[in-house]
Amino acid sequence: MGKWAVIYSSVTGNTKKVAEAIAGAAEEADIYDVKNAPEDLSGYEVALLGYWLRRGGPDPLMEQYLPKVHDIKVALFETHGAKPGDEHVITAFPRAAYMLGKGCEIVATFGCRGKINPKLLERRRQAPPDDPHGGAKQAEKRFAEAASHPDDHDIEAAREFAKRVRHKIDLVERFNARQAARLVEIKSLHKADK
């Protein structure tokens, strides 16, 4: 089992908090703010990349970093002010995956709510009533619901996410080992038949 790189982008501290929970649940992990993250991840088994949602995708700093990540297993995690399960939240994962460099294998995804940046929240409150991100009473309810996140439940879910990533990687490694052993056996039988 190799070392993990947990790399996050955070403004309000939401994504950093989730990244710390994930790194804490890993057997061995280095944690980096995306501003200081290494471009060479070849010494890591998996890169866990976290960002906050902006316009339905990763924030600008993570958006710049994702193309530099290549030839590694990747788990994506995101924080957002939307309702869990919203299309906005779900479609952000493929957008992030599309930005990755070549040769990456997505092994898992995780998202949780987070409080909205106060500056952005104020702009949302000033938005016209027909703006889908603010201005309406239902948006105020969503803002209030997001304000208490990530909470203890979210942090525990982030730890469980780390365990699921480990489990998936272990399953794939065992499967690949069985397949390799079977291939050797088949070649051996084929050789004996000649």
Side-chain angles (χ1 to χ4, degrees), residues 50-143:
Y51 51 86
W52 50 277
L53 288 190
R54 180 176 179 265
R55 297 181 179 171
D59 66 83
L61 289 176
M62 187 56 75
E63 197 173 90
Q64 291 174 7
Y65 184 74
L66 289 171
K68 299 173 185 174
V69 177
H70 58 87
D71 301 311
I72 191 169
K73 291 178 182 75
V74 172
L76 299 169
F77 63 99
E78 61 189 29
T79 59
H80 53 82
K83 291 181 181 177
D86 274 0
E87 181 179 2
H88 181 75
V89 173
I90 294 167
T91 58
F93 289 120
R95 285 188 182 110
Y98 181 76
M99 294 175 194
L100 287 165
K102 65 179 179 59
C104 290
E105 176 189 348
I106 307 294
V107 295
T109 60
F110 173 75
C112 80
R113 284 183 129 168
K115 61 185 165 291
I116 300 170
N117 183 326
K119 290 178 184 177
L120 177 61
L121 194 54
E122 190 52 39
R123 284 198 307 266
R124 294 284 192 243
R125 287 189 170 122
Q126 302 302 320
D130 62 341
D131 184 312
H133 296 294
K137 289 190 189 275
Q138 62 266 32
E140 282 296 330
K141 182 180 177 196
R142 181 172 51 83
F143 299 158

Side-chain angles (χ1 to χ4, degrees), residues 153-179:
H153 175 75
D154 298 321
I155 296 305
E156 185 55 35
R159 290 183 187 113
E160 288 301 315
F161 168 68
K163 292 175 186 173
R164 283 195 321 272
V165 170
R166 165 61 36 220
H167 181 69
K168 283 183 178 184
I169 290 171
D170 289 347
L171 285 175
V172 169
E173 286 174 357
R174 281 185 277 178
F175 174 79
N176 289 340
R178 283 194 308 270
Q179 291 298 94

Side-chain angles (χ1 to χ4, degrees), residues 1-5 26-29 43-46 166 169 173:
M1 290 183 244
K3 186 183 269 192
W4 292 7
E27 292 171 17
E28 189 177 358
Y44 293 98
E45 176 184 29
V46 64
R166 165 61 36 220
I169 290 171
E173 286 174 357

Side-chain angles (χ1 to χ4, degrees), residues 5-9 32-34 37-38 41 47-50 62 65 77:
V6 179
I7 300 166
Y8 68 89
S9 178
Y32 301 97
D33 183 304
V34 71
L41 298 174
L48 293 97
L49 308 172
M62 187 56 75
Y65 184 74
F77 63 99

